[in-house]
Amino acid sequence: MDLYVHPLFEVVRNEKKCVACRACERQCSNCVHAYNPDTGEMEADDSKCVNCHRCVSLCPTKALKIILTDHCFRPNANWPGENINEVYKQANSGGVLLSSMGTPKPHPVYFDRILLNASQVTNPPIDPLREPMETRVFLGKKSQKLERNAEGQLVDNLTPQIPLTMPLLFSAMSFGSISYNAHASLARAAAALGICYNTGEGGLHADFYPYGPHTIVQVASGRFGVHGDYLMAGAAVEIKMGQGAKPGIGGHLPGHKIAGDVARTRMIPPGSDAISPAPHHDIYSIEDLRQLVYSLKAATGNQKPIIVKIAAVHNVAAIASGVARSGADIIAIDGFRGGTGAAPTRIRDHVGIPIELALASVDARLREEGIRDDVSVIAGGSIRSSADWIKAIALGADACYIATGALLALGCHLCRQCHTGLCNWGIATQRPDLVKRLNPEIGAERLVNLVHAWQHELKEVMGGMGINSVEALRGNRLMLRGVAMTQEELDILGIKHAGV
Amino acid sequence: MKKIYVREEWCLGCHLCEYYCANANLGGGNMAKALKGRPVHPRIRVEDDGKISFAVACRHCDEPLCRKGCIAGAISVADGVVCIDREKCVGCYTCILSCPYGAVLPAEDGHAVQKCELCIQTAGGSPACAEHCPNRAIVFEEGGASA
Amino acid sequence: MKHVIIGNSAAAIGCVEGIRRASRTDDIVLVAAEPHHTYSRPLISYLMAGKTDRTKIRYRPENFYRANGVQAKLGRRALGIDPAGKIVTLDGGETIAYDNVLVATGSDPLIFPAEGLDQVENVRTFTTLDDAEALLRSVTAETRVFVVGAGLIGLKCAEGLRAITEHITVCDLAPRVLSSILEDAPAAILRRHLEENGIVLKLGTSVSSFARAGAACTATLRTGETVPFDQLVYAAGVRPNTALVKDAGGDVNRGILVDTLCRTSLPDVYAAGDCTESPDACSGERKVMALLPNAYLQGETAGITMAGATAPTLPLLPMNAIGFFGLHLLCAGVYDGERTEHTDGQNYRSFYTRDNTLRGYILLGRVERAGIYTALIRGRTPLDALDFAALRDQPGLIAFAGPVRAEILRNQDNQRKREAAAP
């Protein structure tokens, strides 16, 4: 129990509607609900509620709702209740505050201050229902010039690419941080959609090798689950240098989650903590990174593109430039609003920079240096809708990573309790009875629906702009205008203010 | 013919099928109004030992022992659906004795039996249990090949 | 092909439906001594109690004969079968040629002679609709009824009559009720329940003599007790009607001997229902299993076979589902082997196991999902392959091992396969 901390939520049950079917009780891994046989009524312990909406969603009579408590402290603009409660919690525990998913703090979201263009009169819009609309992209280094052999025929000098039916990928979430069924859902959906999902640093479960052409396999600082077959299984290999939600720190999957298949897939003993160090212990410079990039290229017989994923931090443009020169085929940049299975709260909420600014400055820097075509750029870190996605592409991204959106499609209600391992939606848990709640048949269908819907919207918006391929949208800042921004922000984003 | 098939591996033991079934067979109206404060008598039942759970409802057998054994001639098969004529049923329970699945159950009043009739009379022919199962542990489909 | 069916109850109807499963065109002639549309004999006690009526008691819908292309000769008695000439002779001398004939003549009640019985005016048996209607006409709230026989028929009769009169006494030579299907402990519970519902039981004794004084009669029991009554009902057993087959030279024991396809020893002569003696799926012993479900199954098997098709395996078992005043009794199989029983005074359950199989069970009170037990007996399912201890307390498919359960849940046909696969 958190001394002094009043429960944040209240469970409100409409007694007129509740039929005491006990579905809420059976479905709550936090044991909020209980049936009282003496009264024949359901009771709730508000203090345990994490507001995950599992009970609310399943209640057949819609008798439940969860509300934010109106219990309050004496109003204090400088000391909001949240800060006070966090002090109490740390005074209770003496520990670092832990959080999950992306930051809930009201940081500026530049996507929301960017508006899109559309064609009027002077250039015609395109109707995507009548005209072909190309959303296919290939990620990887693009050749600078045509080469011909002695007979005058074209030489294929293209390095390996990741083909995608649209510029979207599911970003890294490890098996361990999320469940087997969540992975199965992502893998099936990626294959059905012709895109990729990403193993994260948890290895690739033996069952999912058939989805290899739609899998990005990750190599991170803990090297968990990495072996020859693993590297060869995927469409590309991603070196994870950092993560937007927790730049500069490593990861820690506690031993109690390392059981059975998770341990086997990570290739570590069951029950041992899986600690990913903050740095790769063999990388202290761009030159070191280059060694790992080329080691992985060698290990995969130069058949797999290499992605280097970095967190968006202050000097991201210079870092990206270095990464591009390290031989990486693709750079993934993860903005600080991105999600996580668990991170220290202070780091998640205060370290890093927004993806919009990082992406724009990286794109500009690589262009300036004439190396933009040496790499593809994937942007991630809270792409919440097709609008964010389209704006990111226009800011220079070759493709975007989504994860939180994908989890929402799987049922996640953003209660941000992933680190407890008690996910009532069967996503961020390894408890078999909870994992079972995510039927991958349904999960994959919902992911496919979501991404198809976004693809439709992408086509509609591109059509409106008079653009018929993603190639022509990428880095097309003329399609963007800013509102309510300073000149400096506009300059970094490389866009004009609306009205200009 | 489409039948109800249950898939144990996806059953969550939430028992919602029982409530949707009971409600559908009471007319399918407002569940809160129909079921508030009374025990339910669903035609689908979840077997649940805390670890394993799955629902059981009439299998609409090709060779229905319940129909063959019915002493009142109250059980008939219409378009593959095994149905009970509640008016004719005298509640002798010979069908309960005969059904290998335990899928025929005493009705609420005890004077007759009841069983799943695939919601042909109630939920517009789309069984309420399958319709509302949150995890597709109950499906209404041809053949039942998927598991 | 022309099929003649003698009888009009469950076995006969099963036979019609069996023939029609295999052939829409074969001719069917149905001959029955009773003039009524097919009705359910076990339902006559419910008719007494007002739980069914003349219309609902019909075993099949009114258009049954027409819909199934059956030429029904109701109210006609078959007098003889000539297996050589393949002819059935009816009362009045009419003859019908047949390709196959089914004998489904059921059984008739026995009336044991007793001193003074000839003086008793109001004597009835209780097996037919006419019996029930006669009793309904004669019995009033004041009528004192004396039922001889505390078996299935006698007790159901008593229960049905209880809806009309409070004065019912049942007597049986056996020391317990339902002596043929119950052991002492459950019989004691049932006896108490019957008595609580106003049935007076005189068990372990029999009538030594009847006497009449005016309209009222008196039965004197061997114990010396006397029971005054106005209406006597004889429900002391039945005798299979085997004459047609016996007279034609067929093999007959207590009942007509038939094999698993319901063939008698005579060519193209089949028999089904209460008039037969057939192998029990559980013990393999031949016995008269005079129960409606078995009669239907036998009739259906005979019909399918008569029409030249292959019938599914006959899962005949001694089994009973019966209830008295809201207390249900379900039992099946044979009561041999090791017994485990459990009772709380109100509900009772016992199970009989032998050679790793369930042989029989008796459930009184809580009877839900009993068919799962019946299937174990019928399929001779090895008990070590399931959690029988759990199953005894709570019938459920959950007691089966995972893969077996998956098969059961996936496909109904597997139930039959499972049974077929059993040794």
Side-chain angles (χ1 to χ4, degrees):
Chain A
M1 265 305 276
D2 270 328
L3 195 61
Y4 303 161
V5 179
H6 187 83
L8 191 53
F9 304 110
E10 288 169 16
V11 178
V12 180
R13 190 186 317 272
N14 184 335
E15 288 299 347
K16 281 188 182 149
K17 289 183 177 176
C18 175
V19 295
C21 73
R22 304 175 74 177
C24 50
E25 178 188 19
R26 294 186 176 104
Q27 289 290 296
C28 184
S29 61
N30 298 302
C31 306
V32 169
H33 303 276
Y35 178 70
N36 183 334
D38 297 332
T39 62
E41 289 180 353
M42 301 300 304
E43 294 170 354
D45 179 351
D46 294 336
S47 68
K48 294 174 178 168
C49 178
V50 299
N51 199 2
C52 75
H53 287 198
R54 181 72 184 177
C55 58
V56 173
S57 301
L58 264 63
C59 176
T61 58
K62 296 284 168 268
L64 285 170
K65 66 177 175 182
I66 312 295
I67 60 169
L68 197 61
T69 182
D70 54 7
H71 168 75
C72 65
F73 291 96
R74 182 177 288 268
N76 186 326
N78 190 43
W79 277 97
E82 190 181 352
N83 290 49
I84 298 171
N85 278 331
E86 285 176 348
V87 167
Y88 290 152
K89 283 181 188 171
Q90 291 194 294
N92 285 337
S93 71
V96 170
L97 291 172
L98 269 186
S99 292
S100 307
M101 301 305 285
T103 178
K105 296 281 185 191
H107 291 292
V109 178
Y110 286 96
F111 285 131
D112 292 342
R113 300 185 195 175
I114 297 174
L115 297 172
L116 297 165
N117 194 28
S119 302
Q120 295 294 299
V121 185
T122 53
N123 55 335
I126 301 168
D127 183 347
L129 295 175
R130 294 166 187 271
E131 307 283 338
M133 193 63 68
E134 185 58 82
T135 62
R136 202 165 6 166
V137 296
F138 295 87
L139 302 185
K141 180 185 169 90
K142 303 297 184 295
S143 305
Q144 299 295 315
K145 57 187 175 195
L146 293 180
E147 283 178 47
R148 293 182 185 277
N149 63 16
E151 284 76 45
Q153 287 158 330
L154 280 175
V155 175
D156 179 4
N157 59 4
L158 198 63
T159 54
Q161 306 278 314
I162 309 172
L164 299 171
T165 56
M166 68 191 89
L168 195 75
L169 308 89
F170 298 129
S171 47
M173 288 175 281
S174 72
F175 173 46
S177 76
I178 60 171
S179 66
Y180 176 94
N181 287 339
H183 253 223
S185 303
L186 290 164
R188 289 192 204 179
L193 289 161
I195 62 171
C196 288
Y197 80 108
N198 189 312
T199 61
E201 192 187 15
L204 179 60
H205 192 285
D207 293 353
F208 302 138
Y209 274 73
Y211 300 97
H214 299 283
T215 308
I216 310 285
V217 297
Q218 198 179 68
V219 174
S221 60
R223 299 287 192 273
F224 296 121
V226 177
H227 53 88
D229 291 345
Y230 170 76
L231 294 174
M232 287 307 291
V237 180
E238 178 174 89
I239 301 169
K240 178 196 176 186
M241 297 304 300
Q243 184 177 344
K246 43 180 176 178
I249 65 163
H252 178 186
L253 193 64
H256 63 85
K257 292 189 186 176
I258 311 288
D261 282 3
V262 173
R264 202 169 307 118
T265 306
R266 291 191 178 224
M267 308 192 314
I268 55 175
S272 58
D273 287 4
I275 297 175
S276 302
H280 285 248
H281 286 305
D282 50 357
I283 300 179
Y284 287 84
S285 65
I286 292 293
E287 291 75 9
D288 290 344
L289 174 63
R290 186 178 172 84
Q291 285 208 1
L292 181 57
V293 168
Y294 276 89
S295 300
L296 290 172
K297 287 191 174 189
T300 57
N302 288 309
Q303 289 175 37
K304 308 289 179 186
I306 307 296
I307 307 171
V308 174
K309 176 181 178 179
I310 55 172
V313 289
H314 296 179
N315 51 350
V316 67
I319 296 164
S321 168
V323 171
R325 291 164 202 279
S326 73
D329 301 273
I330 299 158
I331 304 174
I333 309 165
D334 197 12
F336 93 125
R337 295 195 308 272
T340 174
T345 308
R346 301 306 176 214
I347 289 178
R348 183 193 67 173
D349 292 348
H350 300 282
V351 178
I353 65 170
I355 185 59
E356 303 92 324
L357 302 178
L359 170 62
S361 63
V362 166
D363 183 63
R365 176 73 172 259
L366 296 179
R367 284 172 199 255
E368 271 167 35
E369 296 182 358
I371 54 173
R372 179 63 183 83
D373 287 338
D374 287 355
V375 285
S376 290
V377 174
I378 304 174
S382 201
I383 303 292
R384 303 158 303 170
S385 67
S386 66
D388 290 355
W389 181 31
I390 293 162
K391 290 168 188 176
I393 293 167
L395 282 173
D398 290 87
C400 286
Y401 263 145
I402 63 163
T404 300
L407 297 188
L408 291 174
L410 294 179
C412 167
H413 278 59
L414 270 179
C415 71
R416 310 201 304 265
Q417 301 299 307
C418 316
H419 55 286
T420 64
L422 293 174
C423 178
N424 268 320
W425 294 90
I427 301 168
T429 179
Q430 301 301 325
R431 224 173 79 179
D433 61 318
L434 300 177
V435 172
K436 193 179 189 182
R437 297 182 183 182
L438 176 55
N439 180 344
E441 192 182 301
I442 302 172
E445 252 175 49
R446 293 180 57 81
L447 286 169
V448 168
N449 284 345
L450 174 74
V451 173
H452 272 155
W454 284 22
Q455 188 184 24
H456 272 292
E457 291 173 336
L458 168 67
K459 288 178 177 179
E460 290 282 351
V461 172
M462 288 203 306
M465 292 170 171
I467 287 173
N468 65 0
S469 84
V470 168
E471 273 308 291
L473 176 65
R474 180 171 60 93
N476 193 340
R477 287 175 171 74
L478 290 174
M479 292 297 138
L480 305 176
R481 288 291 188 274
V483 287
M485 278 198 257
T486 63
Q487 190 54 48
E488 179 127 41
E489 289 170 317
L490 292 167
D491 288 347
I492 295 166
L493 290 167
I495 62 174
K496 291 179 179 172
H497 200 277
V500 181
Chain B
M1 173 199 166
K2 279 170 112 178
K3 292 182 186 175
I4 286 172
Y5 294 95
V6 299
R7 305 193 295 175
E8 179 184 317
E9 61 175 319
W10 301 122
C11 177
L12 309 178
C14 67
H15 293 248
L16 282 174
C17 50
E18 297 177 343
Y19 285 79
Y20 283 105
C21 172
N23 192 48
N25 284 294
L26 287 170
N30 181 321
M31 186 189 289
K33 226 181 230 171
L35 303 182
K36 176 79 189 162
R38 57 187 280 187
V40 292
H41 291 271
R43 293 151 189 234
I44 189 166
R45 293 287 171 96
V46 175
E47 290 193 31
D48 185 351
D49 69 358
K51 283 184 229 127
I52 298 163
S53 62
F54 54 87
V56 181
C58 174
R59 316 293 303 148
H60 299 278
C61 303
D62 296 333
E63 302 281 348
L65 290 172
C66 59
R67 187 192 86 88
K68 297 181 187 197
C70 178
I71 69 165
I75 304 183
S76 58
V77 183
D79 297 328
V81 184
V82 179
C83 299
I84 291 177
D85 180 345
R86 275 186 61 92
E87 294 301 308
K88 288 191 87 173
C89 175
V90 294
C92 73
Y93 292 3
T94 303
C95 47
I96 292 176
L97 175 78
S98 306
C99 175
Y101 305 100
V104 187
L105 302 160
E108 186 168 2
D109 58 15
H111 295 309
V113 294
Q114 62 180 24
K115 54 176 280 304
C116 165
E117 295 179 358
L118 297 180
C119 283
I120 45 170
Q121 310 281 354
T122 52
S126 173
C129 55
E131 188 87 353
H132 293 281
C133 176
N135 210 32
R136 264 184 229 172
I138 305 172
V139 292
F140 183 54
E141 62 184 23
E142 296 281 345
S146 61
Chain C
M1 289 275 257
K2 184 171 181 181
H3 309 287
V4 174
I5 297 170
I6 302 168
N8 190 20
S9 205
I13 300 304
C15 183
V16 170
E17 291 178 348
I19 293 170
R20 286 294 173 242
R21 273 174 60 160
S23 163
R24 291 306 306 170
T25 54
D26 284 5
D27 292 327
I28 303 176
V29 180
L30 183 144
V31 180
E34 283 184 88
H36 311 295
H37 189 283
T38 181
Y39 69 91
S40 170
R41 283 196 171 180
L43 251 55
I44 58 173
S45 69
Y46 297 90
L47 184 70
M48 313 283 303
K51 289 179 181 171
T52 187
D53 59 31
R54 267 311 288 263
T55 311
K56 291 193 288 193
I57 202 170
R58 283 188 184 137
Y59 186 53
R60 287 295 181 263
E62 185 168 14
N63 68 350
F64 175 81
Y65 302 111
R66 192 160 25 90
N68 284 283
V70 176
Q71 190 193 345
K73 292 176 177 289
L74 305 183
R76 303 293 302 278
R77 191 171 287 277
L79 299 180
I81 296 172
D82 171 8
K86 301 186 92 167
I87 286 168
V88 174
T89 308
L90 306 192
D91 51 7
E94 186 186 344
T95 57
I96 310 171
Y98 67 81
D99 292 303
N100 294 294
V101 62
L102 176 80
V103 178
T105 43
S107 56
D108 278 341
L110 296 169
I111 296 185
F112 295 105
E115 188 192 327
L117 180 59
D118 50 350
Q119 295 175 32
V120 180
E121 207 168 289
N122 294 328
V123 187
R124 297 269 0 157
T125 52
F126 191 67
T127 58
T128 67
L129 185 55
D130 292 345
D131 290 335
E133 294 199 315
L135 283 174
L136 274 175
R137 278 192 302 271
S138 64
V139 175
T140 67
E142 281 73 44
T143 309
R144 294 164 300 172
V145 182
F146 182 51
V147 180
V148 177
L152 293 163
I153 295 174
L155 290 183
K156 280 309 278 186
C157 176
E159 186 204 24
L161 285 168
R162 185 66 185 75
I164 303 170
T165 172
E166 292 179 355
H167 316 293
I168 299 170
T169 305
V170 181
C171 154
D172 201 299
L173 185 57
R176 59 177 191 266
V177 293
L178 298 184
S179 59
S180 63
I181 62 169
L182 280 190
E183 300 204 323
D184 290 340
I189 295 174
L190 178 57
R191 175 183 186 166
R192 199 173 63 231
H193 182 72
L194 290 165
E195 287 171 343
E196 280 166 8
N197 281 279
I199 306 289
V200 177
L201 290 162
K202 307 285 179 194
L203 300 179
T205 184
S206 61
V207 178
S208 62
S209 67
F210 291 105
R212 181 172 165 191
C217 299
T218 305
T220 304
L221 306 184
R222 301 220 181 274
T223 53
E225 277 179 284
T226 56
V227 179
F229 64 90
D230 309 303
Q231 174 75 51
L232 176 64
V233 178
Y234 248 92
V238 294
R239 179 177 25 228
N241 290 324
T242 58
L244 283 176
V245 171
K246 191 177 182 183
D247 296 348
D251 292 343
V252 164
N253 191 17
R254 241 196 92 217
I256 301 166
L257 295 180
V258 293
D259 64 9
T260 54
L261 292 175
C262 300
R263 293 177 294 207
T264 67
S265 61
L266 300 172
D268 304 322
V269 178
Y270 294 75
D274 292 8
C275 61
T276 66
E277 225 179 287
S278 55
D280 145 16
C282 170
S283 66
E285 293 164 26
R286 283 178 166 281
K287 53 179 78 154
V288 176
M289 287 176 281
L291 302 156
L292 189 140
N294 288 337
Y296 180 90
L297 288 167
Q298 281 186 304
E300 185 191 40
T301 293
I304 294 170
T305 311
M306 286 156 69
T310 308
T313 319
L314 252 187
L316 299 186
L317 272 190
M319 59 179 199
N320 283 285
I322 196 163
F324 301 98
F325 305 107
L327 178 66
H328 286 274
L329 163 68
L330 266 58
C331 57
V334 291
Y335 310 144
D336 69 358
E338 188 188 336
R339 180 177 68 184
T340 50
E341 66 180 340
H342 176 79
T343 180
D344 59 7
Q346 293 260 300
N347 300 285
Y348 174 89
R349 43 217 291 122
S350 61
F351 297 88
Y352 303 83
T353 57
R354 206 180 79 189
D355 302 335
N356 195 28
T357 55
L358 181 65
R359 303 279 291 171
Y361 69 86
I362 298 171
L363 304 181
L364 196 62
R366 196 162 65 86
V367 298
E368 277 190 34
R369 307 193 76 191
I372 292 172
Y373 301 133
T374 313
L376 291 183
I377 303 174
R378 208 188 278 129
R380 299 182 200 177
T381 310
L383 296 182
D384 56 7
L386 47 86
D387 186 351
F388 186 61
L391 195 62
R392 272 196 317 243
D393 295 338
Q394 184 72 49
L397 303 176
I398 206 161
F400 290 91
V404 180
R405 197 168 61 231
E407 284 292 287
I408 299 171
L409 292 173
R410 194 171 306 153
N411 191 338
Q412 59 178 53
D413 293 328
N414 287 288
Q415 174 69 19
R416 292 205 301 278
K417 281 180 200 150
R418 197 154 48 88
E419 287 170 9

